[in-house]
Amino acid sequence: MGDPHYQTFDGHRHDFQGSNCKFTLVETADFKVIGTNKNRYDNNDVSWNEKVDIIFKGMHIHLGQSNEVTINGNGVNLPFTKSFQDNKDLSLVQAGPNIVVSLNFGNDVNGLQLIWDGNNTVEAIVHGKYFGDTKGLCGTWDDRVDNDQTSMGGDVTDDVGTFGWSWKNPDNEEVCNEAPQPKHPCDSASFPGAKPIADESCDWLKKSPFMAECRSKVDVEAAVHNCKYDTCSCYDPTCGCHAITKYLKDCQEAGVQSDLSNWRQYARFC
């Protein structure tokens, strides 16, 4: 997930802005992952994931901008590990530009692997023991997408705003001002010129021949959707670069062998 874009464990996609508040991303019986959304570009209709917090065994692990890391309010140097008497352990390592947090439960059970890019994107991978036992904005993992928008109260809703705001997780006396879910920015009458810019900046992902192998292995529709959403949000093609480079990275990780190095010919603005 990154910016306002979420993909659940079952593959359902939704765009929830949830400006200036904390929200439960993933919750199980053993841990909770909380994300903080903040407005972006001085636009109240656009937010981004500013930081991530993990609650585990009474510990508060905080991942902030520029890979700031604290545990229970104290700064830590990486790599960091802590073992517990019940054979569980916590580890944090720097892997390139990312922070990788692992919650290991013994017997080769990696309960959670969380990857934070130090900017706005977080990926959570949970162990199979949590199948059917996750909740939050990342959905109910049970191989069904029809119940992924289950609110904190247990109700399934088609309304993204109702679903998202039900998972608000404010600090102490913090008040989150719930706002209506904005329209897709490319449909905004305020910036009618944004959609053509987004189409030109993002549609090449679906059309360029050299990306054919990539498209056969990784869902391109999600990348194009995110690219256009972000481009229209700030009326600038450079805002779609994160979605483009994320897609290229996913292609490489999926084992694509094609040479993707000339992608900048199609996205010189990145």
Side-chain angles (χ1 to χ4, degrees):
M1 68 208 72
D3 285 290
H5 312 303
Y6 297 82
Q7 180 168 316
T8 68
F9 295 116
D10 291 328
H12 172 65
R13 299 197 308 270
H14 64 86
D15 299 313
F16 172 64
Q17 298 295 335
S19 303
N20 300 328
C21 194
K22 295 176 185 268
F23 298 91
T24 298
L25 304 181
V26 187
E27 183 174 356
T28 72
D30 296 314
F31 58 83
K32 179 188 285 191
V33 180
I34 300 169
T36 298
N37 284 8
K38 289 289 185 183
N39 286 135
R40 199 169 202 180
Y41 313 123
D42 295 322
N43 186 342
N44 290 333
D45 290 340
V46 180
S47 66
W48 65 314
N49 192 11
E50 183 188 47
K51 53 191 176 184
V52 179
D53 296 277
I54 304 167
I55 310 301
F56 174 64
K57 294 185 73 66
M59 302 182 70
H60 187 142
I61 303 112
H62 171 82
L63 308 176
Q65 290 293 294
S66 303
N67 284 335
E68 172 200 16
V69 180
T70 65
I71 296 180
N72 294 338
N74 299 310
V76 297
N77 295 319
L78 303 184
F80 174 90
T81 60
K82 180 175 176 60
S83 299
F84 302 89
Q85 292 182 349
D86 56 3
N87 290 326
K88 295 180 180 179
D89 66 75
L90 160 71
S91 71
L92 294 91
V93 299
Q94 182 93 37
N98 302 317
I99 300 291
V100 180
V101 181
S102 298
L103 306 183
N104 302 300
F105 295 168
N107 298 319
D108 295 322
V109 175
N110 191 343
L112 169 71
Q113 183 180 72
L114 184 141
I115 303 170
W116 168 244
D117 73 344
N119 184 17
N120 63 14
T121 301
V122 57
E123 179 180 2
I125 303 168
V126 299
H127 189 270
K129 66 176 287 189
Y130 297 114
F131 184 79
D133 188 34
T134 68
K135 50 189 178 181
L137 294 183
C138 290
T140 304
W141 181 29
D142 57 4
D143 287 344
R144 293 172 51 194
V145 297
D146 61 337
N147 64 355
D148 273 351
Q149 289 187 187
T150 300
S151 70
M152 183 181 289
D155 299 319
V156 178
T157 175
D158 291 331
D159 187 274
V160 173
T162 299
F163 162 64
W165 281 107
S166 77
W167 288 105
K168 65 182 178 182
N169 209 311
D171 282 336
N172 301 321
E173 301 300 320
E174 179 186 17
V175 176
C176 296
N177 295 318
E178 298 187 19
Q181 183 73 2
K183 294 181 179 179
H184 192 294
C186 291
D187 297 333
S188 173
S190 301
F191 301 103
K195 187 177 184 301
I197 294 174
D199 290 344
E200 181 179 356
S201 303
C202 307
D203 278 344
W204 66 270
L205 289 170
K206 296 192 295 183
K207 300 175 181 177
S208 58
F210 84 99
M211 294 289 288
E213 183 189 1
C214 190
R215 290 191 294 268
S216 72
K217 294 186 177 182
V218 184
D219 178 20
V220 71
E221 293 299 331
V224 172
H225 170 88
N226 294 348
C227 178
K228 290 187 176 183
Y229 195 109
D230 295 345
T231 298
C232 287
S233 293
C234 63
Y235 210 87
D236 186 337
T238 62
C239 293
C241 293
H242 180 270
I244 292 171
T245 55
K246 173 70 165 54
Y247 184 64
L248 293 167
K249 176 176 176 289
D250 290 344
C251 290
Q252 292 174 333
E253 292 179 349
V256 170
Q257 299 298 314
S258 302
D259 182 8
L260 304 178
S261 61
N262 64 337
W263 66 273
R264 288 187 185 274
Q265 294 182 18
Y266 298 84
R268 296 183 185 278
F269 47 86
C270 292

